[in-house]
Amino acid sequence: MFVTDIRKEFYDIVVNQRVALLVSLDVDALCACKVLQALFHCDQVQYTLVPVKGWQDLGTAFLEHKEQFRYFVLINCGANVDLLETLQPEEETIFFICDTHRPVDVVNVYNDTQIKLLIKQDDDLGVPSYDDIFRDDEEEGGDQDSGNESDGSSEPSGKRRRFDEVSLIAARQRARREWEARRREILFDYEQYEYHGTAVMVLFELAWVMSKDTKDMLWWAIIGLTDQWVHDRITHMKYVTDIAALQRHVSRHNHCNEDEDNSLSIDCMRICFEYDLRLSLYQHWSLYESICNSCYTLSTFKLWSIQGQKKLQEFLADMGLPLKQVRQKFNSMDIAIKENLRDVIEESSNKYGMKDIRIQTFGVHFGFKNKFLATDVVHAAAALLESVEKDESGTDNFIKALDCLSRSNLDQLHRGIELAKKKLMAIQQTVASCICTHLILSQGPFLYLCVCLFSKPLALTLLCKYLLKSFARSTRNKRCKILPLVMAAPLDVEKGTVIVMGIPPECETSDKKNFFGRAFEKAAESTSSRTLHDNFDMSIIELKMQDRSKFLDALVTLLS
């Protein structure tokens, strides 16, 4: 059931208990985890933190900890399936679920004993009413012996009574079939699209309600929201709306700290609203490399082509920026150029059709030296989370990504930024290669592509976003511009499995609702393809390589 008073129905309950904290592997979940950890440290709540990669990890973690813990907090996992059926817990076990995944499973919504949903109901969840999907079984047979109640009744009267009973049973069965058909239709409409909210915003509001919110918590909330926007999980309207809400909190904190003695301390933290450029990591890179490896400029200039490179040179010339300046590190550029850089870029961008090259975001200053944008930290944390360095487990990566969010561990953040640069360069090279060699195929109702270098969900999501936006700009086929994309990538060579991901069409008015989750299920079921739906996102599955052809054929038939 939905928790209406998160402080009373969640925090006041767990504050005196030992809690198991199960956290999904994404940046929004990391930020929500940091906020909750800070609150737990304030009140000395004992907890065990367990990172979970998918449903199998979640099941294993629950089995290992169910004897020691009664209360489980699930962050960015657990809401979109029937959790009690999946985990089979004891009756006294309580789950608090703070999850971005939508739609929320209806059994979780209407279970008021073991499932507590920490989800804002002001989002348009569209949950069906209880009576439409649940129905108490009635005694369909009625009183079977009613015909024998009176020994003196005449034979025609007994026949008539039995006829009435049969008619009544038939009417009940017909009504039940109609109700079940209507229920299937309602559930299909409710469950057919997958979309997202934000988890960290819920927990930051909890901290605010308890007057325990700090600048660090506010910064984590900003990073979590930015992560959902960077990875294309929420609409631009929701992003702007939540940014406005966070801006009020930023103003409040800045006002509170104006008169403090340590406001100019070398280790102080200052958050400020920025109307900044949509250029990835440009303050930690050269301007030229940032333009070449950012999704927005890569797709607009079509930088995979010679014509696109010429257009970029013209753009730089129009701004009056010397190549020597734009090719060196941003920190080394002339101060006079850096001061007016954003205005100069915006002015020239309007001439090249990039009217929205600036976006509302936030920046943070740690002391006098270190400045980061929220997007910088998102890219760094995601790169650390999915690092492919040898001798490092998923748990090691999780801890490093969690550490990079702390201002006391800026070395880890800088390391994450360097990894993010490598990832963005690999994505840009893959996009250029796929478009130049025409590897993106139109399968009818969707575009299809198989890549080799990527197998991690966050990196694949970013690659899909880059590819679809770039392909829509490059193709002359108007129909292909509005098609969704399905991408496959090798996952485990020894097991012969591939990871398959689907994303919705690229358009400015997109509601970011993804229909591939249910489509993948139906296609796998109809062809008996060997699949594993282990990821918390329904639109990402594992598939046996031998079954790929028949799976795709079924998907084409299903979506045609």
Side-chain angles (χ1 to χ4, degrees):
M1 69 174 217
F2 289 111
V3 168
T4 51
D5 186 340
I6 189 170
R7 179 178 184 174
K8 182 179 177 182
E9 298 177 55
F10 163 58
Y11 197 77
D12 289 349
I13 293 174
V14 301
V15 74
N16 296 315
Q17 305 290 337
R18 291 180 66 229
V19 180
L21 196 55
L22 310 183
V23 183
S24 173
L25 303 186
D26 65 76
V27 181
D28 181 49
L30 288 177
C31 295
C33 175
K34 290 290 285 185
V35 173
L36 200 54
Q37 279 183 304
L39 290 175
F40 283 173
H41 288 164
C42 281
D43 295 303
Q44 299 179 338
V45 179
Q46 294 183 357
Y47 68 92
T48 296
L49 175 60
V50 185
V52 288
K53 180 183 177 182
W55 294 111
Q56 289 184 342
D57 270 9
L58 182 63
T60 304
F62 176 71
L63 287 175
E64 289 175 357
H65 296 90
K66 67 177 184 178
E67 300 297 333
Q68 295 90 4
F69 296 92
R70 182 188 173 195
Y71 295 98
F72 290 82
V73 179
L74 278 58
I75 299 181
N76 277 6
C77 55
N80 55 345
V81 299
D82 183 352
L83 197 63
L84 298 186
E85 184 181 340
T86 303
L87 299 181
Q88 301 289 321
E90 300 294 332
E91 289 185 3
E92 65 271 9
T93 303
I94 307 293
F95 295 97
F96 294 99
I97 304 173
C98 184
D99 195 359
T100 65
H101 295 94
R102 311 286 188 269
V104 181
D105 188 86
V106 290
V107 178
N108 292 339
V109 172
Y110 290 111
N111 183 299
D112 57 0
T113 54
Q114 292 182 267
I115 305 292
K116 312 292 183 183
L117 298 168
L118 312 180
I119 293 173
K120 290 167 69 175
Q121 292 188 69
D122 53 359
D123 295 339
D124 186 19
L125 298 175
V127 180
S129 68
Y130 180 88
D131 292 334
D132 287 338
I133 49 177
F134 296 106
R135 173 171 168 168
D136 296 329
D137 289 332
E138 297 174 358
E139 293 183 10
E140 296 180 358
D143 189 354
Q144 297 295 330
D145 299 324
S146 59
N148 300 322
E149 285 177 357
S150 173
D151 293 331
S153 59
S154 63
E155 188 177 343
S157 176
K159 287 182 179 179
R160 193 182 307 113
R161 190 179 293 110
R162 284 195 295 274
F163 177 77
D164 290 343
E165 288 173 0
V166 171
S167 301
L168 182 60
I169 292 170
R172 284 177 177 170
Q173 290 174 342
R174 184 168 60 252
R176 183 163 186 84
R177 284 195 299 269
E178 290 173 356
W179 178 85
E180 286 174 350
R182 189 168 65 253
R183 178 182 186 272
R184 282 193 297 269
E185 186 178 332
I186 290 169
L187 284 178
F188 176 80
D189 290 341
Y190 174 63
E191 295 174 346
Q192 64 175 325
Y193 293 112
E194 181 185 25
Y195 58 104
H196 294 81
T198 52
V200 69
M201 295 289 287
V202 175
L203 295 177
F204 175 74
E205 286 185 14
L206 168 65
W208 175 51
V209 165
M210 297 193 299
S211 301
K212 293 182 180 179
D213 58 314
T214 63
K215 277 191 175 181
D216 287 295
M217 292 184 190
L218 178 55
W219 179 236
W220 295 327
I222 290 166
I223 295 168
L225 174 63
T226 306
D227 167 63
Q228 298 295 76
W229 178 74
V230 166
H231 290 98
D232 237 20
R233 294 196 185 103
I234 57 174
T235 63
H236 183 72
M237 182 57 69
K238 177 165 178 57
Y239 173 74
V240 171
T241 304
D242 286 350
I243 281 285
L246 289 172
Q247 190 177 357
R248 292 192 289 273
H249 288 293
V250 169
S251 300
R252 176 172 57 85
H253 274 279
N254 289 343
H255 178 71
C256 289
N257 294 338
E258 272 179 2
D259 300 324
E260 287 188 5
D261 294 335
N262 68 342
S263 60
L264 293 177
S265 170
I266 196 166
D267 61 349
C268 73
M269 178 182 186
R270 183 159 46 89
I271 303 172
C272 52
F273 177 77
E274 305 268 5
Y275 195 49
D276 218 309
L277 301 169
R278 295 173 71 170
L279 299 178
S280 303
L281 305 172
Y282 78 94
Q283 295 181 2
H284 309 276
W285 219 343
S286 71
L287 185 63
Y288 182 81
E289 286 176 303
S290 179
I291 291 173
C292 289
N293 294 289
S294 297
C295 180
Y296 187 71
T297 45
L298 171 68
S299 58
T300 302
F301 287 128
K302 303 177 186 176
L303 293 177
W304 53 86
S305 64
I306 297 174
Q307 194 65 34
Q309 290 291 334
K310 287 181 179 177
K311 203 171 181 181
L312 174 58
Q313 300 297 330
E314 292 172 8
F315 175 68
L316 295 173
D318 185 77
M319 291 189 292
L321 297 179
L323 281 177
K324 183 181 177 182
Q325 290 289 326
V326 298
R327 286 182 180 273
Q328 66 182 342
K329 272 213 162 189
F330 181 82
N331 288 338
S332 304
M333 290 175 71
D334 288 350
I335 294 177
I337 292 176
K338 285 198 291 186
E339 282 179 348
N340 301 316
L341 184 65
R342 288 184 286 193
D343 294 331
V344 169
I345 290 178
E346 184 176 27
E347 186 179 338
S348 294
S349 296
N350 289 331
K351 301 176 186 177
Y352 286 82
M354 297 185 291
K355 297 186 185 300
D356 52 350
I357 196 167
R358 292 176 79 166
I359 188 74
Q360 295 164 309
T361 185
F362 292 92
V364 68
H365 294 262
F366 297 123
F368 303 112
K369 183 180 177 182
N370 295 290
K371 182 190 176 184
F372 303 94
L373 293 175
T375 50
D376 299 341
V377 184
V378 168
H379 284 298
L384 286 169
L385 202 55
E386 296 187 335
S387 172
V388 290
E389 292 183 4
K390 291 181 179 179
D391 303 324
E392 289 191 357
S393 66
T395 303
D396 293 333
N397 290 337
F398 177 86
I399 297 300
K400 288 178 179 178
L402 204 61
D403 284 345
C404 87
L405 298 177
S406 301
R407 57 169 140 166
S408 60
N409 208 333
L410 295 183
D411 289 342
Q412 197 71 264
L413 180 55
H414 284 294
R415 180 173 169 270
I417 286 173
E418 293 305 312
L419 284 175
K421 290 178 188 177
K422 293 177 182 177
K423 183 172 86 169
L424 291 176
M425 289 170 69
I427 287 174
Q428 180 267 329
Q429 291 164 6
T430 304
V431 169
S433 172
C434 291
I435 291 180
C436 292
T437 54
H438 306 289
L439 290 178
I440 303 175
L441 307 174
S442 174
Q443 297 282 13
F446 59 87
L447 303 170
Y448 174 73
L449 171 69
C450 186
V451 295
C452 295
L453 291 176
F454 298 85
S455 62
K456 303 287 186 178
L458 293 179
L460 269 179
T461 301
L462 216 53
L463 176 60
C464 284
K465 175 185 172 180
Y466 273 54
L467 260 171
L468 197 55
K469 193 178 279 286
S470 299
F471 182 77
R473 293 291 183 103
S474 65
T475 184
R476 294 179 181 177
N477 188 326
K478 290 183 178 179
R479 184 173 176 275
C480 285
K481 289 178 185 288
I482 58 170
L483 290 180
L485 173 68
V486 174
M487 183 181 289
L491 183 63
D492 191 320
V493 178
E494 292 181 359
K495 293 181 180 178
T497 57
V498 294
I499 183 171
V500 181
M501 170 184 285
I503 64 168
E506 170 59 38
C507 62
E508 293 300 323
T509 58
S510 172
D511 57 6
K512 308 299 179 190
K513 291 190 174 182
N514 194 330
F515 56 82
F516 277 113
R518 298 300 172 195
F520 285 167
E521 283 184 8
K522 295 284 186 185
E525 187 181 332
S526 64
T527 57
S528 301
S529 297
R530 291 162 292 177
T531 59
L532 178 62
H533 298 256
D534 188 48
N535 199 282
F536 296 124
D537 283 328
M538 305 295 286
S539 55
I540 302 175
I541 64 166
E542 294 177 28
L543 174 70
K544 279 287 185 181
M545 210 171 290
Q546 298 95 323
D547 297 338
R548 184 168 54 179
S549 295
K550 65 178 182 180
F551 175 81
L552 287 172
D553 290 342
L555 196 60
V556 170
T557 305
L558 188 66
L559 298 177
S560 295

